[in-house]
Amino acid sequence: MFGIKGRLTLLFVVIVTLVLGVSGTYAQYSLGHELEVSSQRLRQGVLTRLQTSLPSALWDLDKAKVDNIVAAEMMPPELVSIRVYDTSVGLFSGKLRNENGTISSIENDAAVAGTPVVADLAYRDSGAAGAALKPVIVGRVVVNFSRAQIDATLAAEVRRKVTEVLLLDLILVAALAWSLRIVFDPLKQLRDGLFDLATRGSDEVEELPDNRQDELGEVIRGFNAIQRKIKSNIQRIREAEDEARKSAQATAKAMDDLRRTQESLLQAERLASLGGLVAGVAHEINTPVGIALTSASVLMEATEKVQASVEGGNIKKSDITRYLETAAESTRLIMNNAYRAAHLIHSFKQIAVDQVSEARRRFELRDYINEVVSSLQPKLKKTRITVSIACPPDIMLDSYPGALAQVITNLTLNCVDHAFGPEDEGRIIIGVAQQGDWIEMQVTDNGKGIPPDMLDKVFDPFVTTRRGQGGTGLGLNIVFNLIAKQFGGSITVSSVLGQGASFVLRMPCVTPVDDIALHADSRLHA
């Protein structure tokens, strides 16, 4: 592709060539027209003179005079030949211009080059009284004109014009090449400067010389000013990038610390939940174990008395009857309370093992929810809140029971802590419905409800309405992460202030393996 300089030169050359071509064509046309008019006048003049001078000489049959007249008219180079014919004799006289320019007589009526023009020769004789008589045709003259002179003149003019155009184009190209250097040399410097600025870096590029005192000098000085400003901006950007990089590193470190802290808090929340469960179960077991121990002591004392009576030989029927009654009552109390303690220990053992091991297994949902709620009875007994379970039997899950226990525990205790006051009566309903390969669990309470400004933030970490009263704001965040990340499900919340709240959980009956593989070690990560 041509550069701007080449295109400008080509444009000027084309324009000048077109202008000179148009003007030359017009001049050529004018010259041809003039030559044609001059040739026409020449023809007309030659014929007029010949028609004037030849008739009388031809009438007198004066051949010498005719030859002189014809020779005199052959002077213009446009005439090729002049032939004079007599009406009776035929060719009377004639002259021919040879190729070398000499003039010779025509001896026979051979073909002659050129354009022939024929004119009659009429002789007018005056009578005795001087009256003009009717003209008499005494012969004719044939004049051959040549266009070679006109063509040669036009060709010479064309060559002159072409030479003139070429010379002017050469001069124009040379003048443009010299004059455009004034503009394009500084532009080339600017281009090289921009290229260096774009490729080599601002620290390596030198400023352009700005000693010119014209408009281009102003442009170069402006470019140098821009270059200095760009250098300054680049330096500030580099400093800002360094600061941003340091800030990013600090932020990443802070995020790592925050993540570790959050993991620690989440783990502490889990352990606190498990610790509360242990404390509640221990307190709950204390009563049946104490009753069983007391009953066993009473039975042992009664047995020792009967044994002493037997050894002394003074045993009575009434002693045996009283002993049997005491033994029966003590045995009943021991069995009932031992069974109660065993049931509590079994429920606690299953829930605690599930929460600690994170093992996956198949389990029946309704029985497991009952076990989880039973493990919460030590805390629920201190309130006036009842928990109802509405779950169809035989819903089997292939999932992580420990994580599900954590979800049910957190949702239930969240209702206990936030939905009701210390002395309020309330009800919590855990409802389950199976929908194909999915289950929908709804935990609903009839408590205070959630304020509208908190509804969109209940699952965010560290959001709580009991700050400073034991609330960490992590319970529902743990629930959200377990449902979304470990179970591959979803959880939503709805509430009307003063009319309670409802948490709706949807999860598959068979927890996806891929999700578990991704979160096997990070179940509680935010």
Side-chain angles (χ1 to χ4, degrees):
M1 292 293 294
F2 285 113
I4 297 177
K5 184 177 179 181
R7 282 181 283 178
L8 283 175
T9 302
L10 179 62
L11 178 63
F12 278 108
V13 169
V14 170
I15 291 175
V16 170
T17 302
L18 287 176
V19 171
L20 293 179
V22 171
S23 63
T25 302
Y26 178 74
Q28 188 77 3
Y29 172 77
S30 300
L31 178 60
H33 180 68
E34 291 177 2
L35 291 175
E36 290 291 343
V37 171
S38 177
S39 177
Q40 188 64 30
R41 286 199 300 268
L42 176 63
R43 295 176 186 181
Q44 192 64 36
V46 170
L47 290 177
T48 301
R49 289 192 297 272
L50 289 175
Q51 286 179 324
T52 301
S53 58
L54 283 178
S56 60
L58 190 58
W59 175 266
D60 296 334
L61 298 178
D62 189 350
K63 188 174 186 311
K65 185 176 180 180
V66 171
D67 289 339
N68 290 333
I69 293 172
V70 171
E73 293 296 336
M74 286 292 294
M75 295 299 296
E78 288 83 356
L79 273 74
V80 177
S81 67
I82 299 176
R83 289 170 289 175
V84 180
Y85 292 90
D86 181 63
T87 54
S88 58
V89 177
L91 181 61
F92 185 78
S93 177
K95 298 293 184 181
L96 174 65
R97 187 182 303 279
N98 298 316
E99 293 182 358
N100 56 7
T102 59
I103 298 174
S104 60
S105 298
I106 297 176
E107 300 298 337
N108 51 46
D109 196 8
V112 180
T115 304
V117 178
V118 181
D120 290 333
L121 300 175
Y123 176 72
R124 292 179 178 84
D125 189 17
S126 300
L133 300 177
K134 183 179 180 180
V136 178
I137 301 300
V138 295
R140 59 188 176 87
V141 62
V142 178
V143 183
N144 286 71
F145 293 93
S146 174
R147 290 187 53 85
Q149 190 69 21
I150 296 176
D151 294 339
T153 302
L154 292 175
E157 184 66 17
V158 169
R159 287 192 296 272
R160 187 184 69 81
K161 288 292 184 182
V162 170
T163 303
E164 179 181 346
V165 169
L166 292 176
L167 288 175
L168 286 175
D169 286 341
L170 290 176
I171 294 172
L172 179 62
V173 169
L176 286 173
W178 179 80
S179 59
L180 290 178
R181 287 183 59 188
I182 301 174
V183 177
F184 284 96
D185 285 352
L187 289 179
K188 183 179 179 181
Q189 291 180 344
L190 287 174
R191 180 201 65 189
D192 295 340
L194 287 172
F195 182 79
D196 291 342
L197 183 64
T199 56
R200 298 183 184 178
S202 60
D203 296 336
E204 303 176 2
V205 180
E206 297 182 356
E207 295 186 3
L208 300 178
D210 56 356
N211 52 359
R212 297 176 64 97
Q213 301 301 321
D214 52 13
E215 292 83 354
L216 290 174
E218 294 293 332
V219 173
I220 293 176
R221 283 187 284 275
F223 172 76
N224 289 334
I226 293 174
Q227 185 173 239
R228 289 191 293 270
K229 187 172 182 179
I230 290 175
K231 289 180 181 179
S232 176
N233 290 339
I234 291 176
Q235 184 63 30
R236 287 199 296 270
I237 290 173
R238 287 176 178 173
E239 294 175 357
E241 287 177 347
D242 292 339
E243 292 295 329
R245 192 176 298 108
K246 294 177 182 177
S247 298
Q249 293 173 352
T251 302
K253 184 176 182 302
M255 286 296 295
D256 291 338
D257 294 341
L258 179 61
R259 188 177 295 108
R260 285 193 293 270
T261 302
Q262 185 176 356
E263 290 174 358
S264 299
L265 288 174
L266 294 175
Q267 187 67 20
E269 182 74 11
R270 290 181 60 206
L271 295 177
S273 176
L274 188 58
L277 176 63
V278 171
V281 170
H283 177 76
E284 193 72 13
I285 290 176
N286 186 56
T287 299
V289 170
I291 294 174
L293 181 61
T294 302
S295 299
S297 298
V298 170
L299 180 60
M300 186 178 68
E301 290 177 0
T303 302
E304 289 176 351
K305 288 180 180 180
V306 169
Q307 186 177 3
S309 298
V310 171
E311 291 176 353
N314 54 356
I315 187 70
K316 298 179 181 179
K317 182 179 179 181
S318 59
D319 294 334
I320 295 174
T321 303
R322 189 165 46 253
Y323 171 75
L324 291 176
E325 291 176 354
T326 301
E329 180 65 19
S330 298
T331 304
R332 185 182 64 80
L333 290 174
I334 291 172
M335 288 298 297
N336 288 342
N337 285 278
Y339 175 77
R340 181 181 174 190
H343 177 71
L344 289 173
I345 291 172
H346 173 76
S347 297
F348 164 73
K349 178 182 177 182
Q350 186 63 58
I351 299 301
V353 168
D354 284 338
Q355 290 196 16
V356 173
S357 68
E358 297 186 3
R360 176 173 182 157
R361 62 182 176 87
R362 284 177 58 83
F363 58 94
E364 203 272 331
L365 182 59
R366 186 174 67 173
D367 291 343
Y368 194 75
I369 295 176
N370 283 321
E371 290 183 356
V372 174
V373 174
S374 296
S375 69
L376 299 177
Q377 286 302 318
K379 185 173 181 65
L380 294 174
K381 283 174 60 176
K382 300 175 183 179
T383 67
R384 303 175 64 186
I385 301 170
T386 61
V387 178
S388 301
I389 301 172
C391 177
D394 301 327
I395 295 180
M396 300 299 297
L397 297 186
D398 184 357
S399 187
Y400 289 78
L404 183 59
Q406 184 81 51
V407 169
I408 297 172
T409 300
N410 285 12
L411 288 176
T412 304
L413 295 182
N414 181 76
C415 295
V416 172
D417 293 336
H418 297 280
F420 305 100
E423 301 300 326
D424 293 344
E425 291 186 2
R427 186 177 183 185
I428 300 172
I429 301 175
I430 303 176
V432 179
Q434 186 169 5
Q435 300 172 350
D437 294 334
W438 289 68
I439 63 164
E440 181 175 286
M441 180 184 299
Q442 187 169 3
V443 180
T444 306
D445 66 76
N446 60 346
K448 301 175 183 178
I450 302 173
D453 59 335
M454 293 285 294
L455 199 59
D456 293 335
K457 300 183 291 184
V458 294
F459 297 118
D460 293 344
F462 310 111
V463 174
T464 180
T465 58
R466 299 180 68 245
R467 185 81 62 193
Q469 303 176 19
T472 63
L474 293 174
L476 292 182
N477 180 252
I478 292 175
V479 171
F480 179 84
N481 285 310
L482 289 175
I483 294 297
K485 295 182 178 180
Q486 181 149 357
F487 292 108
S490 63
I491 180 171
T492 58
V493 60
S494 60
S495 176
V496 176
L497 201 60
Q499 300 181 18
S502 176
F503 293 86
V504 178
L505 295 71
R506 292 192 78 253
M507 65 182 72
C509 295
V510 178
T511 300
V513 177
D514 291 340
D515 289 344
I516 299 307
L518 289 175
H519 305 289
D521 266 340
S522 57
R523 191 182 86 173
L524 301 179
H525 289 180

